[in-house]
Amino acid sequence: MILLSLIAVLCIYQPAKAAKNAGTIERDTLLGVPCCVYLPYQYTMRAGLDKAVFPVLYLQHGMYGSEDDWQKQGELLKWMNMLLLADQVREMVVIMPDNFLGSIPPEERDKLMQAPNVTPSGETFSTEKGSAHWRKLTEEQEQDYEMSGYWEEHFQEFMQEAERRYSISKNPGQRAIAGLSMGGFHTMHISHYLHGQFAYVGLFSAVIIPRNGAELMEDVEDTQFHTAGFDMQLNYASPAYNNWMADMRHMVPTPPMYWIGMGRDDFLYAQMQDYRLWLDLNNFEYTYYESLGGHTWTNWQNYLCRFLKKIFWDEKF
């Protein structure tokens, strides 16, 4: 009887085959920020009994999005499990935060979300989830929060809470960050602001510079990628943006695996080519993948799968 019980336990819990089994998506809230979290097969048992520690990917959504975008529209669970079955990705925890709410100071969130959905001019707009203004904010208001620098400046605290809550590595060599569009903007600035903290960085159709910087660049006609525009000493309100060029240059000797994906028809295509030229001029090593199409989930799923296949196979730092 004891032997049969032991066999039953071994049949249920087989760490050696864990990578061949499906993970799950759970919901959580970290420091007041809603998150969807992908957990590997039998995560609770393995983290408890085996004291397993997993690599972690912080994956961010775009403008007007939320924490469930990468699961609902990006089909992350499907892709992760398919790639695991094919032994093309490493097991990992994937934390998908609501990086928009994370961009709003906690003392402002509740009041802001309860405000009537009326523009400054007095016009009402839709608050249906998934619509352009479901957050009860105008486009201008949402951009102001997204590009305030608050999320970048406080991301270290968010990571520390994630590390307290989940069995994930605190080693930068086992830590990745990626995002699409505005999430790519956050990724770019978090990765240089916290330089040395991420071994893998993924920019998917990313916005690169804060809006006021972009406006200044519009008047620059330099064919060498608006070099003068990028080299201007812009006085942004957030320290997360002010020193980005110096931070990136500091990373040149030991860069993360820096992966960029962009569609040829994307409205951000020209800005990304400018950014690539800046990287080239500063000898910053990166990988660039260009696809057909534009700012679409078809492309972002493609970029995600390519990025997942490249991370955590070695320890970079």
Side-chain angles (χ1 to χ4, degrees), residues 209-236:
I209 54 179
R211 186 174 48 210
N212 60 335
E215 289 172 354
L216 287 171
M217 284 184 60
E218 287 176 2
D219 297 328
V220 179
E221 299 298 334
D222 191 336
T223 57
Q224 290 298 312
F225 115 104
H226 309 164
T227 304
F230 269 151
D231 282 344
M232 292 173 69
Q233 295 299 310
L234 303 177
N235 185 24
Y236 296 116

Side-chain angles (χ1 to χ4, degrees), residues 142-292:
E142 181 150 348
Q143 287 182 353
D144 284 345
Y145 277 112
E146 291 270 21
M147 293 185 169
S148 67
Y150 183 88
W151 182 233
E152 289 83 352
E153 291 175 47
H154 291 82
F155 196 78
Q156 183 85 59
E157 300 164 32
F158 178 83
M159 286 199 308
Q160 290 169 349
E161 178 65 11
E163 290 163 358
R164 187 188 69 80
R165 191 79 62 87
Y166 293 96
S167 186
I168 53 179
S169 178
K170 297 180 181 180
N171 185 336
Q174 294 291 297
R175 189 186 289 144
I177 188 168
L180 70 89
S181 193
M182 187 63 78
F185 169 88
H186 290 307
T187 294
M188 182 269 189
H189 288 289
I190 289 169
S191 65
H192 75 74
Y193 186 63
L194 301 178
H195 55 267
Q197 294 299 304
F198 302 93
Y200 308 91
V201 176
L203 308 184
F204 310 156
S205 306
V207 178
I208 296 300
I209 54 179
R211 186 174 48 210
N212 60 335
E215 289 172 354
L216 287 171
M217 284 184 60
E218 287 176 2
D219 297 328
V220 179
E221 299 298 334
D222 191 336
T223 57
Q224 290 298 312
F225 115 104
H226 309 164
T227 304
F230 269 151
D231 282 344
M232 292 173 69
Q233 295 299 310
L234 303 177
N235 185 24
Y236 296 116
S238 171
Y241 306 148
N242 258 340
N243 300 311
W244 74 265
M245 290 181 289
D247 289 344
M248 295 293 289
R249 291 179 181 125
H250 183 79
M251 295 161 67
V252 167
T254 54
M257 189 210 79
Y258 206 84
W259 195 94
I260 299 171
M262 179 60 72
R264 295 176 191 173
D265 299 321
D266 199 297
F267 71 96
L268 295 170
Y269 183 85
Q271 187 182 113
M272 180 53 73
Q273 304 319 305
D274 288 347
Y275 181 55
R276 288 182 60 212
L277 183 50
W278 187 91
L279 294 174
D280 292 339
L281 292 171
N282 287 273
N283 300 311
F284 192 99
E285 183 180 346
Y286 66 95
T287 298
Y288 178 65
Y289 173 78
E290 187 170 294
S291 64
L292 298 175

Side-chain angles (χ1 to χ4, degrees), residues 18 21-27 36-44 46 71 76-78 80-81 84 91-96 166:
N21 291 277
T24 58
I25 297 280
E26 296 186 2
R27 290 187 175 274
C36 283
V37 183
Y38 172 90
L39 296 173
Y41 175 71
Q42 291 189 344
Y43 164 83
T44 301
R46 295 165 67 196
Q71 165 54 15
L76 178 130
L77 185 64
K78 178 185 80 173
M80 277 294 301
N81 289 335
L84 278 167
E91 283 192 295
M92 68 187 79
V93 169
V94 183
I95 298 178
M96 296 161 276
Y166 293 96

